[in-house]
Amino acid sequence: MRTERNPTRLDRVFARLDRERQRPAHLSVPRPSRHRTVLVLAGLAFYLAIVWLVVTTSWLVRLDWQVMFFRPYQQWASIHWFVDYYVVLGQRGPTAVMVAAWLGWRSWRQHTLRPLLTLGASLLLLNITVGAAKYGMGRLGPHYATVIGSNEMGLGGDIFPSGHTANAVVTWGILAYLASTPAARRWLSAISAVTSLGVGMATVYLGTHWLSDVVLGWVAGLLILLALPWFEPLIARTEAHVFDLRDRWRARGDLRAPAPVTPVPAHAPARLKPLTAPQNETAAREATTPAHGTRPPAYLAQGPHTSRSERTPVTPVGSRRPPQSDRVVRGTPSPATRPVAGG
């Protein structure tokens, strides 16, 4: 007797994923709006304010030094091993591979390149904006600080803003940005916010970043997510161009199809080409002269015809030899041997 296996939780998850539409009609694309524009402008103002507070060595720099002297990695040394693993969620390589694998599956499932192209656009904006700010301001980290109380700007460093924090905001926030339902967007937004906050505080705990670095990294990543709708038309054109190149490549590799045959309508009369005089004479001669090797048609008498097996056999009477007029009966002298009378 065969019993069916009870589905596990993983089986139920895959079964739910298999019910997802290939081209979901409810997939909403965020668009630029007045509310989003206000948020972007406010984020830019906050970004510039943090930079100004650090450049002018204000109270924010003094707070950075106080947190550094507190040395959280010594105060809570028991969780050091966990923070070492948790901070990996902000590294660009591992997180990009994990998120790209998920979005690649969605792209294959939904037959669209938008998830992967959106991830690529966000990472490109992250490298340009955050990378330019890092090398432009050149701030040193807490482990390499030279003067106590200084802002450590312009000394060849690359930690302001925090790349770990900005990458965590963008990489995990892109999942919420590409969510297909409002409920999934809310849940993913909350999860990505908690993850990015934890990654930022983990870098402060380990002493690799100042607190102001982490705050500026949060703002930088959030600005990239808010600005993505302005790049949606470019993403759509890129997707259409990629699909067009794919169709051309497939058409180039296919064999040439034969020319379609146009059927002749049944009611259309056949048009014959008129023959010239020599052609008329040749056609008449061929019509009256039977072709070589052909047999003339056989004509049967009218009436019902029986098969050969149904006919009554007829026994011939008499000799079957044809009559011969010059034949002489045996015993009769031939005229040549008769005696001549009176001789």
Side-chain angles (χ1 to χ4, degrees):
M1 181 178 180
R2 183 179 180 182
T3 58
E4 296 183 357
R5 182 176 61 88
N6 293 329
T8 61
R9 181 177 298 179
L10 185 62
D11 295 335
R12 290 194 294 269
V13 170
F14 280 109
R16 186 174 181 181
L17 292 175
D18 288 338
R19 290 197 297 267
E20 185 179 355
R21 300 179 184 177
Q22 290 186 353
R23 290 182 179 272
H26 60 276
L27 189 63
S28 60
V29 178
R31 300 181 181 277
S33 60
R34 182 177 301 177
H35 178 69
R36 189 176 291 269
T37 304
V38 171
L39 289 177
V40 170
L41 294 177
L44 284 174
F46 191 60
Y47 187 97
L48 296 176
I50 295 174
V51 174
W52 175 256
L53 289 175
V54 173
V55 170
T56 57
T57 316
S58 63
W59 60 268
L60 186 56
V61 176
R62 292 194 296 271
L63 180 61
D64 289 338
W65 280 97
Q66 290 176 2
V67 173
M68 194 270 290
F69 285 132
F70 181 71
R71 291 180 174 84
Y73 57 89
Q74 292 181 355
Q75 300 294 331
W76 301 291
S78 59
I79 62 173
H80 197 288
W81 65 272
F82 173 76
V83 177
D84 281 337
Y85 286 105
Y86 186 83
V87 79
V88 178
L89 295 177
Q91 290 184 2
R92 191 163 307 168
T95 56
V97 170
M98 290 187 289
V99 175
W102 168 254
L103 295 181
W105 185 86
R106 281 192 58 184
S107 297
W108 174 78
R109 182 71 176 165
Q110 299 173 355
H111 296 277
T112 176
L113 293 177
R114 179 176 172 262
L116 286 177
L117 292 177
T118 306
L119 176 63
S122 62
L123 293 180
L124 182 61
L125 289 174
L126 178 67
N127 291 333
I128 293 175
T129 57
V130 176
K134 277 175 172 291
Y135 292 103
M137 288 181 278
R139 190 183 189 187
L140 292 176
H143 292 313
Y144 303 97
T146 56
V147 180
I148 297 177
S150 66
N151 55 14
E152 302 296 323
M153 297 284 286
L155 299 178
D158 57 350
I159 53 102
F160 186 66
S162 172
H164 268 68
T165 306
N167 182 72
V169 173
V170 173
T171 306
W172 302 112
I174 203 69
L175 298 178
Y177 179 85
L178 295 172
S180 55
T181 60
R185 185 168 296 173
R186 288 193 296 269
W187 278 101
L188 290 174
S189 298
I191 293 174
S192 62
V194 172
T195 303
S196 58
L197 285 173
V199 169
M201 297 309 297
T203 59
V204 175
Y205 170 87
L206 296 173
T208 57
H209 280 286
W210 305 100
L211 181 61
S212 56
D213 299 341
V214 174
V215 175
L216 194 63
W218 284 331
V219 179
L222 186 60
L223 284 175
I224 292 174
L225 291 178
L226 290 174
L228 274 179
W230 277 274
F231 295 89
E232 286 291 344
L234 179 60
I235 293 173
R237 288 195 298 269
T238 305
E239 181 184 17
H241 182 65
V242 170
F243 281 138
D244 185 46
L245 290 178
R246 183 200 63 180
D247 295 339
R248 291 181 182 179
W249 184 263
R250 287 181 177 179
R252 184 181 303 176
D254 293 341
L255 297 177
R256 294 184 178 180
V261 179
T262 305
V264 179
H267 61 275
R271 297 182 180 181
L272 300 179
K273 183 178 180 180
L275 301 177
T276 58
Q279 292 177 349
N280 284 331
E281 295 177 1
T282 305
R285 189 181 305 109
E286 292 178 354
T288 55
T289 305
H292 179 71
T294 58
R295 301 176 63 182
Y299 297 94
L300 300 177
Q302 297 181 359
H305 303 282
T306 59
S307 62
R308 188 168 184 175
S309 61
E310 297 176 356
R311 298 175 186 175
T312 304
V314 180
T315 304
V317 180
S319 176
R320 297 183 181 181
R321 294 181 179 180
Q324 298 180 4
S325 58
D326 57 345
R327 186 173 181 181
V328 180
V329 183
R330 183 177 298 176
T332 306
S334 61
T337 60
R338 291 178 182 178
V340 180

